[in-house]
Amino acid sequence: MDAPIALSSISIHQENPAQSTNNVREYIVPDHGLPRFKVRRFWPWKRIFSSSVDKGHAYQDIVKKLEDYPGGYPRFSAFLDSEEDLMIFRRFGTLHSRLLLHKQDQLRVLETTIEQMDAEDHRTVDARRYLMSREWNDRRVDDAMAMRKRVLEDVEQKLLEYGKLLLQTRQILALTKPSSYDVQNVWNYIGNEKPFVEAESLYILMKDDLVSLSPGTESALVNRFIEDFLSNLCE
């Protein structure tokens, strides 16, 4: 039988000028502390939006709890979004390298083809002029003109793809690696809640391939220190 979930009580002031300033609404929020490891406590709800209306009307946030999301990927996605330190994903470094190598060699072949075509034109005096002017080359009516045009168009397309992937890979490599603490928190949630099948949950164990979307700011480090300190006091 599953262990009972501890409940934490929080009080939220309702901003309503028409009501007393002592008006306080109390919410009971499940505490998802995980039994096997020491983990941080997360508020299991996410603020969707806030909007203010006429000054004479009440202001109230619309919130969603984790339990409001269907189990599986929907709820697990909400859990990751509950705190930026949990936004941990694979960078697929090997696949990026494989694609870059593949596209690189495609360009090598096209480069060799163009060099061979240029060498062929350089052998005859009449054809050398085509190497001296793009406009003259475009006016050619032989097969060499059509072929060079097709090759250059292919080069353009593959260079754009290669350059885009190259810059994307550089951006991904610049991302920071997650801390073991944050990885453990995600793994604890997966182990306790079992949001999806085993094969799809093992990504979090790919330590050398994980990146964090969290900026790793100083405030985040301070928050983690405070959470650890309070957690130790509660033990």
Side-chain angles (χ1 to χ4, degrees):
M1 181 179 297
D2 295 337
I5 298 177
L7 298 179
S8 299
S9 175
I10 62 173
S11 298
I12 299 179
H13 290 269
Q14 184 178 27
E15 299 179 12
N16 186 348
Q19 296 181 1
S20 169
T21 56
N22 294 325
N23 183 19
V24 176
R25 298 184 62 184
E26 185 173 75
Y27 292 79
I28 302 300
V29 181
D31 181 0
H32 287 275
L34 301 176
R36 293 183 296 169
F37 303 97
K38 179 179 16 176
V39 299
R40 283 175 287 167
R41 307 190 188 283
F42 304 100
W43 295 120
W45 51 267
K46 178 69 179 175
R47 175 175 295 181
I48 303 303
F49 65 86
S50 307
S51 61
S52 56
V53 291
D54 295 340
K55 293 183 178 180
H57 297 279
Y59 168 91
Q60 185 175 1
D61 290 337
I62 297 178
V63 299
K64 293 184 70 174
K65 297 181 293 186
L66 282 182
E67 289 75 14
D68 294 332
Y69 293 88
Y73 274 98
R75 189 176 299 171
F76 184 69
S77 300
F79 168 73
L80 295 183
D81 189 47
S82 67
E83 187 165 332
E84 63 182 18
D85 291 343
L86 301 177
M87 298 291 279
I88 301 170
F89 303 93
R90 288 188 61 188
R91 62 186 174 95
F92 291 101
T94 301
L95 289 181
H96 274 88
S97 298
R98 181 68 178 270
L99 280 177
L100 284 171
L101 289 171
H102 181 75
K103 293 182 179 298
Q104 175 181 268
D105 198 62
Q106 286 179 324
L107 286 167
R108 179 194 62 81
V109 173
L110 291 173
E111 181 183 46
T112 301
T113 301
I114 291 179
E115 290 174 349
Q116 291 173 347
M117 295 173 63
D118 292 343
E120 184 67 25
D121 282 343
H122 186 70
R123 288 193 182 97
T124 60
V125 176
D126 290 341
R128 288 178 186 175
R129 58 178 177 158
Y130 299 131
L131 300 177
M132 302 171 63
S133 171
R134 190 271 316 163
E135 186 176 359
W136 287 348
N137 184 74
D138 288 349
R139 291 177 180 176
R140 296 174 72 173
V141 294
D142 57 8
D143 294 338
M145 184 278 293
M147 182 176 181
R148 179 178 274 115
K149 184 177 181 180
R150 288 195 302 268
V151 172
L152 287 175
E153 289 175 348
D154 201 9
V155 166
E156 179 183 13
Q157 180 62 35
K158 284 183 168 50
L159 267 179
L160 289 174
E161 296 175 358
Y162 178 75
K164 181 179 179 180
L165 181 60
L166 202 66
L167 294 178
Q168 173 184 304
T169 304
R170 184 180 69 173
Q171 291 177 334
I172 292 177
L173 290 177
L175 295 172
T176 60
K177 288 186 174 295
S179 68
S180 300
Y181 185 90
D182 295 326
V183 172
Q184 184 68 66
N185 276 330
V186 177
W187 177 244
N188 289 344
Y189 183 90
I190 292 175
N192 283 272
E193 302 296 330
K194 296 178 175 54
F196 27 66
V197 298
E198 181 179 2
E200 297 178 31
S201 64
L202 297 180
Y203 82 93
I204 197 65
L205 301 181
M206 307 289 289
K207 179 181 178 181
D208 294 335
D209 199 50
L210 296 177
V211 292
S212 173
L213 302 188
S214 171
T217 58
E218 182 177 351
S219 60
L221 296 176
V222 172
N223 289 338
R224 182 178 302 170
F225 173 79
I226 294 175
E227 289 168 351
D228 288 342
F229 178 74
L230 293 176
S231 178
N232 290 329
L233 286 180
C234 295
E235 291 183 349

